[in-house]
Amino acid sequence: MFYVQVARLLDPDGAGRTELLIVGGSATGRGVVTSASYPVRAFGVRSGMPTGQALRLCPDATVVPVPRGACLQRSRAVGDALHRHAPVVQAASIDEFYLDLTGTERLPGYADLAAIASHIRESLLSETEISVSIGGSTQRLVAKLAANLAKPGGVRVVVPGQEAEFMRQFDLSQIPGVGPTLASSLSRRGLVTVEDALGVDQVWLERWFGPARGAWLYRRIRGRDSSRVDPHESRKSISSERTFFTDLSSDDDLADQLFRLSLSVGRSLRKQELRARTITVKVRDRDFKTRSASRTLKHPVESDAALYHVGEALLSDLRERRRIPARLLGIGVSNLTTDPVVSQLGLFGDDDAVESDRDRNVARTLDRLRARFGEGVVMPARMVKERS
DNA sequence: TCTGGGGTCCTAGGACCC
DNA sequence: TCTGGGGTCCTAGGACCC
C-alpha cells in the first residue's frame, strides 16, 4: 500500500479522494500494476498484473503513474524516523525495514515487544504520514510473515518458542523465497501447505530440490532463519532499463537509447562514489525472450563514455545473434568497488584501457554543471544530434 | 490478458591456473 | 596413451522480491 499512500498524499483532491486507485501503468502504455488500493484488490487486481487486465476487472478504477521521486523521499523519511526508535535498522526495499532490538529489553518501556511496535507505528504515522504494519519475532522470516498478517496497518508479535507453531498456518507459496516455480514443483509432489512439508525428511527435500535449496526449505518451514539484520549491506549492482512505447527495430535507435541509459547509470555510479568492473546489456525481444551479454574489465570504470563504449559492443553482439524488434533495452553495472582511481595512461598492451582521465573529467564536470544549473543545462552530443 | 523497473541470489559450464 | 584434483573467475540465464 506504500505507493498508494504516497500517491494520495501528493494529490489529496484527486487520488486522495478515489476509493478505487491503481498506481502504475506508466506512460509507455505497457505498464503493470505496482500497487492497488484494497477495494481494487477485492476485484482480483494484484500487483504485477498488466494494467489493461486490471482495468477490465475493475473498470471504475483511477490509474496514476508511480510517483518515484516522492516515494524515495518518503521512504528515507520513514528510515530516518525508525533510526530514532531502534539501534539497528536495515532497509530491505523501498517499503520494508528490519529493526534489531537486541539489547533494548532492559531499557525502560522496552519490555513488551508488541507495545513497542504499536508505539513505533503511531510515531511513524504522525511523523511521516505513512501507515505501516509491523511484525515481531526472534527470526526475520517469522517477523516478515507476522507483518503480512498484520496488514493493513497493524501489529503482530510471535512470542519466542512459538515460531514453529506459527508457521503451520501457511501454504508453502506464502513463504518468502518460494515463488511460482518452486511452489508448483512442490505441489507436484503433493506438498502444498507447511503442514504437508513438515512430514518430509530433509534427505528427501535435498534429493528433490538440491542440497542447498532442500536444506534451506527444511529450515524455513520450521521458522528458522539464520540471517542477521545488517545495516551496512553494500550495493551490488546499479542498472537502468526501459520498455519502449513501440518496439524498436533500428540498431541506430537502440544505440541512442543505450546512450541515454548509460548516462543514467553513470550518474548514480558516481553519485555513490563507486566504480564498476562488469557491464551488462540486456535486451528483451518482441516475443519477450530476454537476453543479456556482459563483459568484465581489468580496471573499474565510472564514466558515461566507458559504459557506452563497452555497452555498444555488447549490444552489437546481441543484435548479431538475433535481429528482431526489441521491446526493452537495459544496461547495468556490477562488481562494484570503492577503490581509488588509478590512472591507466601509459599502460602498454592493455586491451581494456577503455576509460581515460579525460572521460572521467568530462563526466564529473557534467555532474557538477547539472547539480548547479539544473538538469537541462548540458546535453551530450549524441542527444543533441538526436534532436536536430 | 500480454506482460515495469529496481534489485539479490544461485547455478552450470567453461577457461584458466597450479 | 589417455588423461587428476583443487581452486578462482567469468558468463548467461533464471528464480525471486518489492
Short mmCIF file of all heavy atoms in Angstrom, two decimals, chain A residues 95 144 177 179 181-182 277 294 296, chain C residues 10-18:
data_model
loop_
_atom_site.label_atom_id
_atom_site.label_comp_id
_atom_site.label_asym_id
_atom_site.label_seq_id
_atom_site.Cartn_x
_atom_site.Cartn_y
_atom_site.Cartn_z
N ASP A 95 9.98 -0.08 0.74
CA ASP A 95 8.91 -0.04 1.75
C ASP A 95 9.02 -1.15 2.79
O ASP A 95 8.01 -1.62 3.31
CB ASP A 95 7.54 -0.09 1.07
CG ASP A 95 7.28 -1.43 0.39
OD1 ASP A 95 8.25 -2.18 0.20
OD2 ASP A 95 6.12 -1.71 0.05
N LYS A 144 8.58 -11.20 9.25
CA LYS A 144 8.02 -10.76 7.99
C LYS A 144 6.63 -11.34 7.76
O LYS A 144 5.70 -10.64 7.34
CB LYS A 144 8.96 -11.15 6.84
CG LYS A 144 8.47 -10.70 5.48
CD LYS A 144 9.50 -11.01 4.43
CE LYS A 144 8.96 -10.82 3.03
NZ LYS A 144 8.50 -9.45 2.78
N GLY A 177 10.54 -16.41 -0.75
CA GLY A 177 11.58 -17.22 -1.37
C GLY A 177 10.99 -18.42 -2.10
O GLY A 177 11.67 -19.04 -2.92
N GLY A 179 8.61 -19.09 -4.79
CA GLY A 179 7.86 -18.45 -5.84
C GLY A 179 7.02 -19.45 -6.61
O GLY A 179 6.89 -20.60 -6.20
N THR A 181 7.52 -21.11 -9.36
CA THR A 181 8.21 -22.29 -9.88
C THR A 181 8.41 -23.36 -8.81
O THR A 181 8.05 -24.52 -9.00
CB THR A 181 9.57 -21.89 -10.48
OG1 THR A 181 9.37 -20.84 -11.41
CG2 THR A 181 10.22 -23.07 -11.17
N LEU A 182 8.97 -22.95 -7.68
CA LEU A 182 9.20 -23.91 -6.60
C LEU A 182 7.87 -24.40 -6.05
O LEU A 182 7.73 -25.60 -5.76
CB LEU A 182 10.05 -23.27 -5.49
CG LEU A 182 10.41 -24.16 -4.30
CD1 LEU A 182 11.09 -25.45 -4.75
CD2 LEU A 182 11.29 -23.42 -3.30
N ARG A 277 33.43 -2.91 -12.57
CA ARG A 277 34.27 -3.70 -13.48
C ARG A 277 33.43 -4.46 -14.50
O ARG A 277 33.91 -4.79 -15.57
CB ARG A 277 35.13 -4.68 -12.69
CG ARG A 277 36.37 -4.02 -12.04
CD ARG A 277 37.25 -5.07 -11.39
NE ARG A 277 37.61 -6.10 -12.34
CZ ARG A 277 37.55 -7.41 -12.11
NH1 ARG A 277 37.17 -7.86 -10.93
NH2 ARG A 277 37.90 -8.27 -13.03
N SER A 294 27.55 -9.66 -21.14
CA SER A 294 28.31 -8.85 -20.19
C SER A 294 29.81 -8.98 -20.43
O SER A 294 30.27 -9.92 -21.06
CB SER A 294 27.96 -9.25 -18.76
OG SER A 294 28.31 -10.58 -18.52
N THR A 296 33.58 -8.20 -18.24
CA THR A 296 34.28 -7.76 -17.04
C THR A 296 35.63 -7.18 -17.43
O THR A 296 36.42 -7.84 -18.12
CB THR A 296 34.46 -8.94 -16.06
OG1 THR A 296 33.18 -9.43 -15.69
CG2 THR A 296 35.21 -8.50 -14.82
P DC C 10 36.46 -11.91 -12.72
OP1 DC C 10 37.23 -10.76 -13.19
OP2 DC C 10 35.52 -11.78 -11.59
"O5'" DC C 10 35.65 -12.51 -13.95
"C5'" DC C 10 36.36 -12.95 -15.09
"C4'" DC C 10 35.39 -13.65 -16.02
"O4'" DC C 10 35.01 -14.92 -15.43
"C3'" DC C 10 34.09 -12.88 -16.27
"O3'" DC C 10 33.99 -12.60 -17.65
"C2'" DC C 10 32.98 -13.81 -15.77
"C1'" DC C 10 33.66 -15.17 -15.74
N1 DC C 10 33.13 -16.09 -14.71
C2 DC C 10 32.55 -17.29 -15.11
O2 DC C 10 32.47 -17.54 -16.32
N3 DC C 10 32.08 -18.15 -14.15
C4 DC C 10 32.19 -17.83 -12.86
N4 DC C 10 31.71 -18.70 -11.97
C5 DC C 10 32.79 -16.61 -12.43
C6 DC C 10 33.24 -15.77 -13.38
P DT C 11 32.79 -11.72 -18.18
OP1 DT C 11 33.29 -11.05 -19.38
OP2 DT C 11 32.22 -10.95 -17.06
"O5'" DT C 11 31.70 -12.79 -18.61
"C5'" DT C 11 32.04 -13.73 -19.60
"C4'" DT C 11 30.83 -14.62 -19.87
"O4'" DT C 11 30.63 -15.49 -18.73
"C3'" DT C 11 29.53 -13.85 -20.07
"O3'" DT C 11 28.99 -14.26 -21.31
"C2'" DT C 11 28.64 -14.27 -18.90
"C1'" DT C 11 29.25 -15.58 -18.45
N1 DT C 11 29.14 -15.90 -17.00
C2 DT C 11 28.66 -17.12 -16.61
O2 DT C 11 28.29 -17.95 -17.41
N3 DT C 11 28.63 -17.33 -15.25
C4 DT C 11 29.03 -16.46 -14.27
O4 DT C 11 28.96 -16.77 -13.09
C5 DT C 11 29.53 -15.18 -14.74
C7 DT C 11 29.99 -14.17 -13.74
C6 DT C 11 29.56 -14.96 -16.06
P DA C 12 27.73 -13.49 -21.89
OP1 DA C 12 27.89 -13.52 -23.36
OP2 DA C 12 27.55 -12.22 -21.18
"O5'" DA C 12 26.52 -14.44 -21.51
"C5'" DA C 12 26.52 -15.79 -21.97
"C4'" DA C 12 25.31 -16.49 -21.41
"O4'" DA C 12 25.53 -16.76 -20.00
"C3'" DA C 12 24.03 -15.66 -21.49
"O3'" DA C 12 23.05 -16.43 -22.17
"C2'" DA C 12 23.64 -15.37 -20.04
"C1'" DA C 12 24.39 -16.45 -19.26
N9 DA C 12 24.83 -16.02 -17.93
C8 DA C 12 25.38 -14.82 -17.59
N7 DA C 12 25.70 -14.73 -16.30
C5 DA C 12 25.33 -15.96 -15.79
C6 DA C 12 25.41 -16.51 -14.49
N6 DA C 12 25.90 -15.84 -13.44
N1 DA C 12 24.96 -17.75 -14.30
C2 DA C 12 24.47 -18.42 -15.36
N3 DA C 12 24.35 -18.04 -16.63
C4 DA C 12 24.80 -16.77 -16.77
P DG C 13 21.59 -15.87 -22.40
OP1 DG C 13 21.13 -16.43 -23.67
OP2 DG C 13 21.55 -14.41 -22.16
"O5'" DG C 13 20.79 -16.57 -21.22
"C5'" DG C 13 20.97 -17.97 -21.01
"C4'" DG C 13 20.28 -18.35 -19.73
"O4'" DG C 13 21.06 -17.90 -18.61
"C3'" DG C 13 18.89 -17.71 -19.56
"O3'" DG C 13 17.95 -18.75 -19.38
"C2'" DG C 13 19.02 -16.83 -18.33
"C1'" DG C 13 20.19 -17.47 -17.59
N9 DG C 13 20.91 -16.55 -16.72
C8 DG C 13 21.41 -15.31 -17.02
N7 DG C 13 22.00 -14.73 -16.00
C5 DG C 13 21.88 -15.65 -14.97
C6 DG C 13 22.32 -15.58 -13.62
O6 DG C 13 22.92 -14.67 -13.06
N1 DG C 13 21.99 -16.73 -12.90
C2 DG C 13 21.32 -17.80 -13.42
N2 DG C 13 21.08 -18.82 -12.59
N3 DG C 13 20.89 -17.89 -14.68
C4 DG C 13 21.21 -16.77 -15.40
P DG C 14 16.39 -18.43 -19.40
OP1 DG C 14 15.78 -19.47 -20.24
OP2 DG C 14 16.15 -16.99 -19.66
"O5'" DG C 14 15.97 -18.71 -17.89
"C5'" DG C 14 16.57 -19.80 -17.20
"C4'" DG C 14 16.32 -19.63 -15.73
"O4'" DG C 14 17.31 -18.74 -15.17
"C3'" DG C 14 14.95 -19.01 -15.41
"O3'" DG C 14 14.34 -19.78 -14.40
"C2'" DG C 14 15.29 -17.61 -14.91
"C1'" DG C 14 16.65 -17.86 -14.27
N9 DG C 14 17.45 -16.65 -14.11
C8 DG C 14 17.71 -15.68 -15.04
N7 DG C 14 18.45 -14.71 -14.57
C5 DG C 14 18.69 -15.06 -13.25
C6 DG C 14 19.43 -14.40 -12.24
O6 DG C 14 20.03 -13.33 -12.31
N1 DG C 14 19.41 -15.11 -11.04
C2 DG C 14 18.76 -16.30 -10.84
N2 DG C 14 18.85 -16.84 -9.62
N3 DG C 14 18.07 -16.94 -11.78
C4 DG C 14 18.08 -16.26 -12.95
P DA C 15 12.77 -19.72 -14.16
OP1 DA C 15 12.23 -21.03 -14.56
OP2 DA C 15 12.26 -18.46 -14.74
"O5'" DA C 15 12.68 -19.58 -12.59
"C5'" DA C 15 13.49 -20.41 -11.77
"C4'" DA C 15 13.57 -19.79 -10.40
"O4'" DA C 15 14.55 -18.71 -10.42
"C3'" DA C 15 12.24 -19.17 -9.94
"O3'" DA C 15 11.90 -19.67 -8.66
"C2'" DA C 15 12.50 -17.67 -9.95
"C1'" DA C 15 14.01 -17.58 -9.76
N9 DA C 15 14.59 -16.40 -10.40
C8 DA C 15 14.43 -15.99 -11.70
N7 DA C 15 15.07 -14.88 -11.97
C5 DA C 15 15.69 -14.54 -10.79
C6 DA C 15 16.52 -13.46 -10.42
N6 DA C 15 16.87 -12.48 -11.27
N1 DA C 15 16.97 -13.40 -9.14
C2 DA C 15 16.61 -14.38 -8.30
N3 DA C 15 15.84 -15.45 -8.52
C4 DA C 15 15.41 -15.45 -9.80
P DC C 16 10.48 -19.36 -8.01
OP1 DC C 16 10.24 -20.41 -7.01
OP2 DC C 16 9.50 -19.09 -9.07
"O5'" DC C 16 10.76 -18.00 -7.26
"C5'" DC C 16 11.78 -17.94 -6.25
"C4'" DC C 16 12.04 -16.51 -5.88
"O4'" DC C 16 12.73 -15.84 -6.95
"C3'" DC C 16 10.78 -15.68 -5.65
"O3'" DC C 16 10.53 -15.60 -4.26
"C2'" DC C 16 11.12 -14.31 -6.23
"C1'" DC C 16 12.55 -14.45 -6.72
N1 DC C 16 12.82 -13.71 -7.98
C2 DC C 16 13.69 -12.63 -7.92
O2 DC C 16 14.23 -12.35 -6.85
N3 DC C 16 13.92 -11.92 -9.06
C4 DC C 16 13.32 -12.27 -10.20
N4 DC C 16 13.58 -11.54 -11.27
C5 DC C 16 12.42 -13.38 -10.27
C6 DC C 16 12.20 -14.07 -9.14
P DC C 17 9.21 -14.85 -3.74
OP1 DC C 17 8.89 -15.45 -2.43
OP2 DC C 17 8.20 -14.81 -4.81
"O5'" DC C 17 9.72 -13.36 -3.50
"C5'" DC C 17 10.79 -13.14 -2.62
"C4'" DC C 17 11.08 -11.66 -2.55
"O4'" DC C 17 11.82 -11.29 -3.74
"C3'" DC C 17 9.79 -10.84 -2.58
"O3'" DC C 17 9.55 -10.22 -1.33
"C2'" DC C 17 10.01 -9.78 -3.65
"C1'" DC C 17 11.43 -9.99 -4.13
N1 DC C 17 11.44 -9.88 -5.59
C2 DC C 17 12.07 -8.77 -6.16
O2 DC C 17 12.62 -7.95 -5.42
N3 DC C 17 12.05 -8.63 -7.50
C4 DC C 17 11.45 -9.54 -8.27
N4 DC C 17 11.46 -9.36 -9.57
C5 DC C 17 10.81 -10.68 -7.69
C6 DC C 17 10.83 -10.82 -6.35
P DC C 18 8.13 -9.47 -1.12
OP1 DC C 18 7.85 -9.51 0.31
OP2 DC C 18 7.15 -9.97 -2.10
"O5'" DC C 18 8.44 -7.98 -1.54
"C5'" DC C 18 9.44 -7.23 -0.84
"C4'" DC C 18 9.51 -5.86 -1.48
"O4'" DC C 18 9.92 -6.01 -2.85
"C3'" DC C 18 8.16 -5.13 -1.49
"O3'" DC C 18 8.37 -3.79 -1.08
"C2'" DC C 18 7.72 -5.19 -2.95
"C1'" DC C 18 9.04 -5.27 -3.69
N1 DC C 18 8.95 -5.98 -5.00
C2 DC C 18 9.47 -5.35 -6.14
O2 DC C 18 9.99 -4.24 -6.03
N3 DC C 18 9.38 -5.99 -7.33
C4 DC C 18 8.82 -7.19 -7.42
N4 DC C 18 8.75 -7.77 -8.62
C5 DC C 18 8.28 -7.84 -6.27
C6 DC C 18 8.37 -7.22 -5.09
#
